[in-house]
Amino acid sequence: MDRRNFIKTTSVVAGVYTITDPALFVNMGNAADESWFNRPMRWAQLTLVENDPGRFDPDFWLSYFKKIHADGTTLSAGGVVAYYPTNVPLHHRSDWLGKSDPFGYLVEGCRKMGMSIIARTDPHAARQNVYDAHPDWIAVTSNGEKRRHWANKDLWVTCALGPYNFEFMTQVHKEIMDLYQPDGIFSNRWAGHGICYCEHCVKNFKEFSGLELPKTSDRFDRTYQKYTEWNINRLKELWLLWDGIIRKGNATSRFIPNGFPDKVITGELSDIVFTDHQARSGVTMPWSNGKVAKELRASIGMKPLGGIFSVGVEEQYRWKDSVQTEAEVRVWVAEGTANGMRPWFTKFSGVLYDRRWLDVVDKIYQVHYRNESYLRNTFPMARVGMVFSEQNRNYGNETWQQRSGDHILGMYHALIEERMPFEMVNDRLLDAEHLKQFKLLILPNIPTLSKDQCDQIRKFVADGGNILATFETSLYDEEGRKRIDFGLADVFGVTYDNGVEGPMQNSYLRLKKDTQSNQFHPVLKDLEDSYRIINTVNMVKVLPRSSFPYPVTLIPSYPDLPMEDVYPRVPETDIRGLYLRDNGKVRIAYFPGDIDRTFWQIMGADHGKLLRNTIRWALKEDPIVDVKGPGVIDVTVWRQENSMTVHLVNFTNPMMMKGPFRELIPVSAQVSVKIPDDKKATAVHLLVNEAIPAFEIKDNKIILNIPHIYDHEIIGIDLS
Ligand SMILES: [Zn+2]
């Protein structure tokens, strides 16, 4: 079997281990024991700078790795600078290297400690001598000029898709394997920086498409779409080339790319994955680290996932030697761990200036080490899946389609506020296997869905699954062509009425009791006294295909100035703001408005309540975990071989919406956890606080109080 077939077969086999089959997860855990991928739980990355050799103390780092129980490491090897005595022509040895081999020294030290070792290369930049010897290896701008490095004018940016990577870096990777046999090679910035117009890219793209390279990165441009396809193909080719060379050096070693533009392919080709979402930048929710984990898990299943985190500030000004507060680092890492990531700290420069982070990472890793058996997750127990799309790039030219990413963010935030355990679902993996674990599928404006994707969702409903969808979901096909009607019109029970209204100034939603039962619908819980709430900003016009209840109806826009004019011209309509169907078997909720995006932009409490109530109603079962008490807490639930865990990450903080936590503000919580029907709980632990809590069991539910959650608490429940 040649290499390519081998990889293909492997990935097909790996594809069987989907997120939805607990039995298979357990099998995978056993099988993986034979390789190294699943073994390391805590990673340590030391990225050397060129003048480190001779100046930094490698033994300090080795003893730090040991102290914090790191069992995997990533060490600088080569690329722009070689930290070992390389013999590959033009592979630049550090000017400070002399006769030393700092990479080899660290590899040996880590190997003695039984650590898994990944060699790090960075191929994105090269020196003048490389330019002089091979000018065609250098990236070219759209003006036809060779591209200088933006951060260091002495360097040139290399072409990622030409011979520099395919030939030169292949030799480098082969040499590293021959000399050191690491468990993997991790390449940083290997995938290029925008469109390269070098002679190789011009020729190769022409061969692929018959077209000239696109002049813009306009996602609606057909040539650019073709370019994206070619770019992904070419990078996949490079991945397989390097992976093949690396496997030849050591059969269980792998090429590990730092990011790949297609998550489904990432899932197919990888045995171990790392995310590079190191810290907040600008306005970033602390939950964004968990979101990255969930989005990858949707395609990689339970393959080991490392979360690279920075101990410094991650902003555009790139203070790479900086240190964040303890509180900020702790919450970021806790959120990654709660969402199934294994922590990987990264530090640039072997010589330290600000040492405050060392104790912080130590404390985090000690808790992790102590509780390792409760962190070897076998599958997530969430029953809610939220669909996200990598193919929405063909959608978005109309005014109401701008900022379409806000739909997901709003829904995500509502789920966090609801403390609802949930997973993300890749829209290209909507088959029954991938959806089997879910009782509710949420489609936060997923506009572009193919007929096959709509059929898969229909099948999910036919099998008893519930749906919550918003706005233009399924109104476009996978190519971004508008349909006459929603692809899921039959599921929603409504027909598209040819238009989107908005932005709607000063419009409202009327909330009212059911006229027959004289009761408020469950989606109006805690909104019973509201009479009306603000409307969404935009609303798709639809016509009901059958009869619907009337809990939420439209009050159309009316003047908002002069103040004397601010009175509703039409006090009530029968146009629903929410279409609810319950046929006894399944529940469908469809919001014609962009409630999720409006929620994200306005953060209206009433929108949050309505969304959260509707999620609860549509789930049609009690959530596995119910957490009461003040504050904002992310809740995730996992199974391990002999236990289950509930992670509670405390986001309650005045700095929450941007993330620069100064201190941790403890909250208390009353928690009830549903135990699997075929299991019995034998012990309960609070793993972070190292406490045995008092608890009671009622209807196979464990009920307990947690007096203080600082950044993170893990309820560990032993099962028999
Ligand atoms: Zn190029």
Side-chain angles (χ1 to χ4, degrees), residues 482-501:
K482 195 169 169 183
R483 294 190 168 103
I484 296 165
D485 199 356
F486 298 104
L488 294 172
D490 55 327
V491 176
F492 301 161
V494 301
T495 295
Y496 178 60
D497 192 21
N498 212 23
V500 175
E501 204 176 339

Side-chain angles (χ1 to χ4, degrees), residues 471-510:
F471 206 49
E472 292 192 294
T473 293
S474 78
L475 193 54
Y476 293 76
D477 71 12
E478 70 279 18
E479 300 287 334
R481 284 179 298 244
K482 195 169 169 183
R483 294 190 168 103
I484 296 165
D485 199 356
F486 298 104
L488 294 172
D490 55 327
V491 176
F492 301 161
V494 301
T495 295
Y496 178 60
D497 192 21
N498 212 23
V500 175
E501 204 176 339
M504 297 163 83
Q505 298 278 122
N506 197 38
S507 161
Y508 298 85
L509 294 171
R510 173 85 166 94

Side-chain angles (χ1 to χ4, degrees), residues 298-370:
S299 55
I300 70 169
M302 287 306 292
K303 290 173 185 175
L305 176 64
I308 303 176
F309 67 93
S310 170
V311 297
V313 181
E314 277 297 299
E315 289 282 357
Q316 53 174 317
Y317 310 105
R318 300 183 56 80
W319 295 285
K320 300 311 290 181
D321 275 340
S322 61
V323 172
Q324 293 175 341
T325 66
E326 172 168 350
E328 186 168 348
V329 176
R330 290 184 73 104
V331 167
W332 194 262
V333 180
E335 175 65 0
T337 304
N339 281 282
M341 281 186 188
R342 301 177 185 188
W344 161 329
F345 83 76
T346 178
K347 190 70 197 86
F348 299 85
S349 169
V351 176
L352 289 177
Y353 302 98
D354 185 341
R355 305 172 73 90
R356 286 175 295 175
W357 64 275
L358 289 165
D359 282 347
V360 176
V361 169
D362 181 24
K363 277 190 250 177
I364 294 170
Y365 277 35
Q366 296 298 343
V367 172
H368 200 278
Y369 173 69
R370 204 173 63 222

Side-chain angles (χ1 to χ4, degrees), residues 129-348:
N129 61 328
V130 175
Y131 178 113
D132 294 340
H134 296 280
D136 62 307
W137 287 5
I138 306 302
V140 173
T141 66
S142 58
N143 304 329
E145 289 164 6
K146 302 279 186 206
R147 191 166 169 198
R148 285 234 176 240
H149 198 282
W150 60 90
N152 181 349
K153 297 293 177 208
D154 295 337
L155 299 179
W156 297 94
V157 177
T158 56
C159 168
L161 307 176
Y164 181 81
N165 268 352
F166 277 84
E167 292 167 21
F168 170 75
M169 282 306 297
T170 304
Q171 282 185 60
V172 169
H173 288 160
K174 182 174 180 319
E175 184 184 61
I176 293 169
M177 288 310 299
D178 288 347
L179 294 174
Y180 303 98
Q181 286 93 49
D183 296 304
I185 294 182
F186 172 88
S187 285
N188 192 49
R189 291 188 180 264
W190 69 291
H193 299 77
I195 303 169
C196 168
Y197 297 87
C198 79
E199 56 188 275
H200 303 289
C201 289
V202 167
K203 180 172 148 284
N204 291 332
F205 182 61
K206 184 118 199 186
E207 264 171 32
F208 174 80
S209 65
L211 299 167
E212 301 300 325
L213 284 164
K215 287 288 169 201
T216 66
S217 302
D218 174 6
R219 63 201 169 108
F220 297 105
D221 180 78
R222 285 286 165 196
T223 309
Y224 181 70
Q225 289 168 7
K226 203 75 195 159
Y227 170 81
T228 305
E229 193 188 327
W230 173 72
N231 182 56
I232 289 175
N233 279 352
R234 193 85 180 127
L235 289 172
K236 185 176 166 186
E237 216 179 300
L238 185 58
W239 182 339
L240 293 176
L241 172 70
W242 286 347
D243 196 56
I245 289 290
I246 290 165
R247 285 182 197 229
K248 235 182 219 166
N250 182 357
T252 62
S253 296
R254 293 290 181 273
F255 173 63
I256 301 164
N258 187 8
F260 187 79
D262 185 301
K263 291 188 176 67
V264 173
I265 293 176
T266 303
E268 286 166 4
L269 295 186
S270 304
D271 286 303
I272 182 166
V273 180
F274 297 96
T275 69
D276 190 6
H277 187 50
Q278 297 184 18
R280 75 183 159 88
S281 171
V283 180
T284 306
M285 302 305 111
W287 47 250
S288 78
N289 200 25
K291 178 168 177 280
V292 168
K294 284 181 159 118
E295 286 180 354
L296 265 166
R297 190 158 50 251
S299 55
I300 70 169
M302 287 306 292
K303 290 173 185 175
L305 176 64
I308 303 176
F309 67 93
S310 170
V311 297
V313 181
E314 277 297 299
E315 289 282 357
Q316 53 174 317
Y317 310 105
R318 300 183 56 80
W319 295 285
K320 300 311 290 181
D321 275 340
S322 61
V323 172
Q324 293 175 341
T325 66
E326 172 168 350
E328 186 168 348
V329 176
R330 290 184 73 104
V331 167
W332 194 262
V333 180
E335 175 65 0
T337 304
N339 281 282
M341 281 186 188
R342 301 177 185 188
W344 161 329
F345 83 76
T346 178
K347 190 70 197 86
F348 299 85

Side-chain angles (χ1 to χ4, degrees), residues 44 61 86 152 459 483 581 618 631 649 674:
W61 287 99
T86 176
N152 181 349
K459 166 114 179 36
R483 294 190 168 103
R581 306 175 81 189
V649 182
K674 202 162 82 186

Side-chain angles (χ1 to χ4, degrees), residues 406-625:
D406 288 359
H407 292 274
I408 284 243
L409 296 175
M411 195 65 81
Y412 205 105
H413 195 79
L415 284 158
I416 294 278
E417 284 201 69
E418 183 58 17
R419 298 155 177 199
M420 179 69 76
F422 68 103
E423 287 290 309
M424 299 293 276
V425 176
N426 191 303
D427 68 341
R428 286 189 286 154
L429 300 170
L430 293 171
D431 53 280
E433 267 308 297
H434 279 88
L435 298 187
K436 204 167 71 180
Q437 88 177 82
F438 301 117
K439 182 79 179 159
L440 169 63
L441 199 61
I442 298 179
L443 298 134
N445 190 39
I446 305 297
T448 55
L449 288 169
S450 69
K451 188 186 169 296
D452 284 351
Q453 288 170 312
C454 290
D455 285 344
Q456 288 174 321
I457 292 165
R458 228 170 255 122
K459 166 114 179 36
F460 173 75
V461 174
D463 290 344
N466 304 303
I467 297 283
L468 189 163
T470 69
F471 206 49
E472 292 192 294
T473 293
S474 78
L475 193 54
Y476 293 76
D477 71 12
E478 70 279 18
E479 300 287 334
R481 284 179 298 244
K482 195 169 169 183
R483 294 190 168 103
I484 296 165
D485 199 356
F486 298 104
L488 294 172
D490 55 327
V491 176
F492 301 161
V494 301
T495 295
Y496 178 60
D497 192 21
N498 212 23
V500 175
E501 204 176 339
M504 297 163 83
Q505 298 278 122
N506 197 38
S507 161
Y508 298 85
L509 294 171
R510 173 85 166 94
L511 310 182
K512 55 190 171 191
K513 279 183 186 171
D514 182 72
T515 41
Q516 284 182 351
S517 67
N518 204 30
Q519 299 283 316
F520 282 102
H521 195 280
V523 301
L524 300 184
K525 184 170 174 283
D526 298 331
L527 289 165
E528 294 90 346
D529 58 354
S530 315
Y531 189 83
R532 63 180 203 180
I533 64 174
I534 60 171
N535 192 9
T536 59
V537 176
N538 298 282
M539 215 166 174
V540 179
K541 292 189 214 165
V542 301
L543 292 171
R545 288 177 161 196
S546 57
S547 65
F548 280 89
Y550 285 80
V552 181
T553 49
L554 174 70
I555 301 171
S557 296
Y558 50 92
D560 57 271
L561 266 179
M563 296 317 288
E564 290 78 357
D565 252 11
V566 184
Y567 58 90
R569 302 302 194 269
V570 182
E572 283 204 32
T573 66
D574 62 359
I575 301 167
R576 276 67 146 201
L578 172 56
Y579 290 87
L580 299 168
R581 306 175 81 189
D582 182 352
N583 68 4
K585 266 182 71 192
V586 297
R587 288 178 177 171
I588 311 288
Y590 168 68
F591 286 95
D594 54 352
I595 185 167
D596 33 20
R597 175 171 55 190
T598 306
F599 179 54
W600 182 247
Q601 293 175 1
I602 313 295
M603 281 284 153
D606 293 337
H607 283 164
K609 274 185 196 169
L610 183 57
L611 266 173
R612 291 162 54 186
N613 288 338
T614 308
I615 291 165
R616 281 233 172 198
W617 173 81
L619 179 59
K620 210 184 170 190
E621 68 179 22
D622 288 339
I624 312 165
V625 182

